[in-house]
Amino acid sequence: MSEDDVRAQLTTPLASPAFPRGPYRFTDREYLNITYRTDPDALNALIPAPLKVTEPLVRFEVMRMPDVTGLGDYTESGQVALVEHDGEPGEFTLGMYVDSLGAIASGREVAAYPKKFGRPALTVDSDALVGTLDYGSIRVAVATMGYKHSALDEAEARAELTAPTYMLKIVPGYDGKPRICELARSQISDLTIKGAWTGPARLHLVPHALAPLADLPVLEIVSASHILTDLTLGRAEAVYDYLDGDR
């Protein structure tokens, strides 16, 4: 294999890459989102500058993805903080737990999503929509919502899913120091809302040393949504370089 051939590769292993080239198209991507108020000091301790917290709000989300081009069928769960960057509202991804190696590798390498392995699930239990997250053998989150109790305005659902998303991309060099340390931004624009609902909701988080969702305690449920979509993820771009002064 020539040097040009190596440079043309997306990722390793060369004989069987961990994930294919995107863009990745999601069909029937289903969300359970619960937004809640949390402790402001605990939240501010996790938000990197230059992002700012204007209100101590966090969203717990479970996303069921049965049909993704190149990546197949998987589920992920995450926790995002509502933030502001240069006066623009957005969200910062605190952590994501995913049951697919390809989705973990592509999310971290191609973009900057802070993904690690977990076992999320999104199911209907009688008259409730239920989202769960297991880390190893421990259940660390249980979210419940009344199933399709009320229609959610499509504009509100669209605004929730198309807010700018910020992530940290940190890649170490061989000396152990960061080779890449950037704040990245992405935004969904290619989106079709196929259904959106709201209803009563509850969220229970269990403390865990390696899946610390409960470090941001649930003080008040603010809103909940159940949204069915088709979409394509936006391309991530760097908006702030933490190493710029060191070069």
Side-chain angles (χ1 to χ4, degrees):
M1 180 178 288
S2 70
E3 291 184 12
D4 286 342
D5 289 335
V6 172
R7 283 188 286 267
Q9 303 307 307
L10 180 64
T11 186
T12 59
L14 294 179
S16 178
F19 52 89
R21 292 187 183 276
Y24 305 112
R25 181 65 179 171
F26 296 77
T27 301
D28 291 335
R29 176 166 167 149
E30 187 174 15
Y31 290 83
L32 168 59
N33 294 329
I34 297 182
T35 301
Y36 68 93
R37 192 176 307 278
T38 193
D39 178 82
D41 292 334
L43 182 58
N44 274 290
L46 297 174
I47 304 303
L51 300 177
K52 296 179 180 179
V53 174
T54 58
E55 195 173 358
L57 297 178
V58 175
R59 186 168 69 244
F60 174 77
E61 54 190 18
V62 181
M63 293 158 283
R64 179 79 188 96
M65 290 162 282
D67 183 352
V68 187
T69 53
L71 297 174
D73 179 344
Y74 65 97
T75 306
E76 66 185 33
S77 180
Q79 200 176 30
V80 303
L82 276 60
V83 297
E84 188 176 272
H85 181 252
D86 287 342
E88 180 185 40
E91 57 189 37
F92 175 69
T93 306
L94 294 157
M96 304 180 79
Y97 302 85
V98 190
D99 61 4
S100 162
L101 174 60
I104 292 172
S106 62
R108 293 180 67 98
E109 293 183 25
V110 176
Y113 292 103
K115 296 186 178 186
K116 58 193 300 186
F117 190 79
R119 294 183 178 87
L122 183 60
T123 59
V124 178
D125 182 8
S126 185
D127 55 355
L129 183 66
V130 180
T132 60
L133 173 61
D134 294 352
Y135 191 82
S137 62
I138 306 298
R139 179 145 296 175
V140 296
V142 179
T144 57
M145 174 181 161
Y147 187 72
K148 297 185 179 181
H149 275 212
S150 305
L152 179 66
D153 182 74
E154 182 175 322
E156 186 176 343
R158 182 175 296 275
E160 185 171 299
L161 299 187
T162 58
T165 299
Y166 297 91
M167 306 85 68
L168 277 180
K169 185 162 190 170
I170 301 176
V171 179
Y174 297 111
D175 59 0
K177 298 177 181 179
R179 178 172 291 187
I180 297 174
C181 190
E182 297 172 338
L183 182 69
R185 179 189 188 276
S186 70
Q187 188 169 14
I188 295 170
S189 58
D190 182 7
L191 173 73
T192 300
I193 303 291
K194 303 174 79 170
W197 304 270
T198 188
R202 298 292 185 271
L203 175 61
H204 176 62
L205 303 177
V206 175
H208 192 295
L210 301 181
L213 288 81
D215 287 2
L216 297 174
V218 180
L219 303 183
E220 177 191 6
I221 300 293
V222 174
S223 64
S225 63
H226 173 203
I227 307 173
L228 184 63
T229 69
D230 294 341
L231 63 86
T232 304
L233 290 180
R235 185 180 297 275
E237 60 179 1
V239 295
Y240 189 84
D241 188 346
Y242 293 92
L243 302 180
D244 189 51
D246 297 332
R247 292 176 177 171

